[in-house]
Amino acid sequence: MFHQFNGRYDFTFIGNTLNVQPNFGNDPCLLLPSSDAILNLDPNDTIISAYLYWAGSGTGDFNVKLNGIEIDSQRNFLAIQNLNGNPFFSAFAEVTTLIQTTGNGVYSFSDLDVTPFFNPDTYCNNGTNFAGWAIVIVYENASLPINQVNVYDGLEALSSPNPGVVIDELTINLSNLYVLDNTDAKVGFIAWEGDANISNQESLLINGNILSDAINPPDNAFNGTNNITGTSDLYNMDLDIYDIQPYINAGNTSAEIKMTTAQDFVLISTIVTKLNNKLPDAIVAINAVEQQCDSRILVLNYTVSNLNSSGPLPSGTPIAIYADGTFIAFDETILPIPIGGSANFQLSLVVPDSIPMNFTLTISVDDNGNGTGIVDELNESNNKDTIPVSLWRSPTFNVLEPLKACNEGFTKATFDFSSYEDLVKTNPNDVVHFYETVEDASAAVNPILNTTNYEAITTPKEIFIRISNGNCFATTSFILKSRNCPPTVYNFVSANNDSYNDSFFIGGLRDIFLDFQLEVYNRWGQKIWTGYNTTENWNGYIKDGIGNKNAPDGTYFYLLFLNDTDYPQPLKGFLYLNH
């Protein structure tokens, strides 16, 4: 078998002889330089494949022309006549594109020359001088039933070793048939060198039944006829197609072709069968791939359909899953899928560690895991679906240092952590949000909107971060801490009750350095005032030392004991008092 077609297909032949007349008689042992044949398909017929065969006497001519286009043989065949050892040849070339482009019309075959073999000592004296050509055309039509068209070829010779006495037989077993309905079953033959004037037990049989029709007698099957056109002038070749519906049965997986002759020399090169067939057509589609973060477990949701089919897809049809071409999981249909039906599947599978994070996932129906299937289908080329997969991985992040700001009183502080959005990310495409609780970060609710001027009422305070890459998220956190910044001394006192600088004010002191002690000295080193967090600011009143009265205008000195581990030494400086 050379090729098999499954679908709404049928076939036909066209071709012609190059012999000018039947052999013997007044045969001048000459060949025509060319001959023509007409293709006339229905307008709704679509040409799928076309195979050119040519044959003749001798060892062969393998470069010819079809409609003026040079054709080189792609496959050659040779047969020997047992009676005298003469060689005969046939050749093959696929001409699908040429026939599809040209379509219906006249086809002219030329440049086949085997005349060097035509001499009295070889072919001419025994009437085996011939040459001819034929094209097998497989076509599709939406109105046809689902058929299986098989093309078998080669070259086999049939001749009696003792003409008129001994019958020669040739049996060819046609395999790879799948007969589910014998309606309109037919078989076609391309044969060479048959003669109309030799009818000596020359029969063609299928499964033991003789094939014949109005122009092909039962005892002269190879007689130079073309029963497609109904002509009998196809000298030394035959293009015949027979109805075999009565001779083949549903369930047959093979057929026996048998030929007999008691005299004539016959060559058979091509046999084509068309049988009504009921086959499924499995199609698979990936619906969704479910996965979890940081896991190599996938849940694959897919659909297997049997839409453009003529038979159910059986249970137990294997389904293979591949990652970058490596088989990783197996599934199968549980119940038959009827014609036009579909079934949904869900499969949990583990992607091996050897598979990269980014790969192509392929699902293949009717596949044992090695690329081979067990179900004969109408179309074997539509069984796969692919999807790119990137395994989900939680984003990584950088650990952030605590952020510090000045204590504004009782550990309250204001922070700007807007830069932490970029600092925490290792992937610039990740999305970052900040939250006050880990619960909010996990649920992605109530994000902190003001990151440039965030007020923490008390510190230390933990801020939580959610980093998301679109599929997965990670959480981390950092600490907001307040520190006691150095106080700011405003060293001018205008104690005149005008509400401006009426007392000695030190910013960032009260409610921050809770245990401070402030001492004020005059220019002679005498302490005149001592204050604490519980006393009011100094307003120029002499409280300690030389009596209780208003201090005179002038320069004074202070010592500020913060009683803080970050400031072990007192702060000291001067201030100016003016009433």
Side-chain angles (χ1 to χ4, degrees):
M1 190 178 73
F2 174 65
H3 200 81
Q4 182 179 88
F5 303 85
N6 288 290
R8 301 185 186 279
Y9 299 132
D10 205 338
F11 74 93
T12 190
F13 300 147
I14 65 168
N16 208 344
T17 182
L18 293 176
N19 283 54
V20 297
Q21 65 184 51
N23 285 342
F24 288 116
N26 296 319
D27 179 11
C29 203
L30 296 174
L31 290 180
L32 296 169
S34 66
S35 64
D36 299 338
I38 298 175
L39 177 63
N40 187 25
L41 293 175
D42 186 274
N44 294 322
D45 294 336
T46 301
I47 296 169
I48 300 301
S49 289
Y51 304 137
L52 171 65
Y53 294 89
W54 66 94
S57 305
T59 54
D61 178 3
F62 302 107
N63 179 264
V64 296
K65 290 183 179 179
L66 183 63
N67 285 0
I69 299 173
E70 287 199 5
I71 305 293
D72 291 319
S73 174
Q74 297 166 354
R75 297 158 62 233
N76 306 325
F77 307 96
L78 185 69
I80 303 297
Q81 186 178 14
N82 292 331
L83 189 63
N84 52 31
N86 287 340
F88 296 83
F89 82 97
S90 73
F92 164 93
E94 182 170 352
V95 291
T96 302
T97 301
L98 190 156
I99 305 300
Q100 287 174 335
T101 302
T102 306
N104 286 338
V106 176
Y107 287 84
S108 180
F109 179 89
S110 60
D111 279 23
L112 173 57
D113 183 14
V114 294
T115 55
F117 300 98
F118 289 5
N119 61 72
D121 296 328
T122 54
Y123 297 93
C124 294
N125 65 345
N126 64 5
T128 57
N129 50 291
F130 83 94
W133 63 280
I135 303 177
V136 177
I137 299 163
V138 179
Y139 59 89
E140 183 178 27
N141 191 308
S143 65
L144 291 170
I146 302 296
N147 294 318
Q148 182 181 86
V149 176
N150 286 348
V151 179
Y152 307 83
D153 64 13
L155 189 63
E156 296 285 349
L158 183 69
S159 62
S160 172
N162 188 358
V165 178
V166 177
I167 299 175
D168 191 16
E169 293 184 354
L170 175 64
T171 300
I172 300 175
N173 289 304
L174 306 182
S175 59
N176 299 94
L177 302 179
Y178 300 95
V179 183
L180 296 180
D181 187 341
N182 62 355
T183 303
D184 295 329
K186 65 181 184 180
V187 62
F189 298 88
I190 300 176
W192 312 101
E193 220 294 309
D195 296 298
N197 59 348
I198 303 176
S199 55
N200 191 347
Q201 301 184 70
E202 184 181 288
S203 299
L204 176 62
L205 302 89
I206 183 167
N207 290 338
N209 301 283
I210 293 178
L211 297 176
S212 65
D213 58 25
I215 61 174
N216 290 288
D219 60 350
N220 193 195
F222 305 104
N223 57 353
T225 60
N226 180 342
N227 69 359
I228 305 163
T229 60
T231 57
S232 300
D233 56 357
L234 209 64
Y235 309 131
N236 297 99
M237 63 176 288
D238 285 84
L239 297 179
D240 293 317
I241 298 176
Y242 296 94
D243 173 22
I244 58 171
Q245 180 173 330
Y247 312 128
I248 198 161
N249 299 311
N252 288 164
T253 58
S254 63
E256 181 190 79
I257 301 294
K258 186 176 182 180
M259 291 164 282
T260 67
T261 182
Q263 185 174 350
D264 199 6
F265 175 59
V266 178
L267 294 159
I268 184 80
S269 69
T270 310
I271 301 173
V272 185
T273 61
K274 184 209 77 172
L275 303 167
N276 187 262
N277 203 359
K278 299 189 186 304
L279 291 177
D281 182 23
I283 302 173
V284 65
I286 299 172
N287 301 324
V289 177
E290 301 173 17
Q291 57 174 305
Q292 296 180 340
C293 297
D294 305 315
S295 172
R296 284 185 165 264
I297 298 175
L298 301 181
V299 177
L300 177 60
N301 296 278
Y302 65 95
T303 299
V304 176
S305 302
N306 186 30
L307 303 179
N308 185 27
S309 62
S310 60
L313 184 69
S315 60
T317 299
I319 301 165
I321 294 89
Y322 299 87
D324 279 352
T326 300
F327 173 73
I328 61 171
F330 177 83
D331 205 357
E332 62 181 353
T333 58
I334 305 302
L335 299 173
I337 300 177
I339 298 171
S342 299
N344 294 320
F345 296 82
Q346 186 177 80
L347 176 67
S348 179
L349 55 93
V350 178
V351 179
D353 292 338
S354 59
I355 302 299
M357 296 295 290
N358 301 312
F359 61 91
T360 298
L361 183 71
T362 301
I363 183 167
S364 178
V365 66
D366 191 26
D367 186 336
N368 278 319
N370 56 11
T372 61
I374 63 172
V375 179
D376 293 299
E377 299 182 60
L378 292 173
N379 185 354
E380 299 285 356
S381 64
N382 61 351
N383 290 8
K384 296 181 180 179
D385 193 18
T386 62
I387 188 173
V389 173
S390 295
L391 294 178
W392 292 353
R393 182 163 46 189
S394 295
T396 58
F397 53 84
N398 296 315
V399 177
L400 299 178
E401 296 292 330
L403 186 62
K404 295 181 180 180
C406 290
N407 183 359
E408 298 171 6
F410 301 111
T411 73
K412 182 178 77 171
T414 302
F415 298 87
D416 179 359
F417 49 83
S418 58
S419 63
Y420 274 21
E421 178 177 348
D422 291 328
L423 292 176
V424 76
K425 294 190 291 188
T426 60
N427 184 338
N429 296 321
D430 290 346
V431 177
V432 173
H433 290 97
F434 300 91
Y435 300 86
E436 292 188 329
T437 68
V438 68
E439 291 79 12
D440 285 351
S442 298
V445 296
N446 304 319
I448 297 172
L449 301 179
N450 183 4
T451 60
T452 60
N453 193 32
Y454 178 79
E455 185 178 87
I457 302 303
T458 59
T459 59
K461 181 177 179 61
E462 187 173 11
I463 298 297
F464 298 90
I465 309 175
R466 178 188 176 104
I467 308 105
S468 174
N469 57 18
N471 295 316
C472 302
F473 72 92
T475 58
T476 183
S477 66
F478 64 96
I479 300 298
L480 299 179
K481 290 184 176 181
S482 63
R483 65 185 181 90
N484 294 340
C485 296
T488 302
V489 177
Y490 298 88
N491 57 359
F492 178 77
V493 179
S494 175
N496 57 6
N497 297 317
D498 63 355
S499 300
Y500 294 99
N501 302 321
D502 285 337
S503 62
F504 182 27
F505 176 70
I506 301 177
L509 178 63
R510 294 184 180 274
D511 301 331
I512 299 171
F513 297 94
L514 302 181
D515 297 325
F516 78 85
Q517 178 177 320
L518 177 61
E519 298 174 353
V520 179
Y521 295 83
N522 63 17
R523 68 183 66 185
W524 297 280
Q526 294 174 315
K527 182 167 62 172
I528 62 173
W529 183 82
T530 302
Y532 305 93
N533 200 33
T534 58
T535 62
E536 295 182 356
N537 294 338
W538 183 59
N539 58 2
Y541 186 79
I542 298 175
K543 180 181 178 183
D544 300 319
I546 58 175
N548 295 324
K549 61 181 180 180
N550 290 330
D553 293 351
T555 301
Y556 293 84
F557 300 90
Y558 67 86
L559 287 176
L560 177 57
F561 299 89
L562 297 176
N563 294 317
D564 188 288
T565 56
D566 290 337
Y567 304 93
Q569 299 299 322
L571 303 181
K572 57 187 177 180
F574 69 92
L575 62 97
Y576 184 74
L577 173 66
N578 182 27
H579 288 88

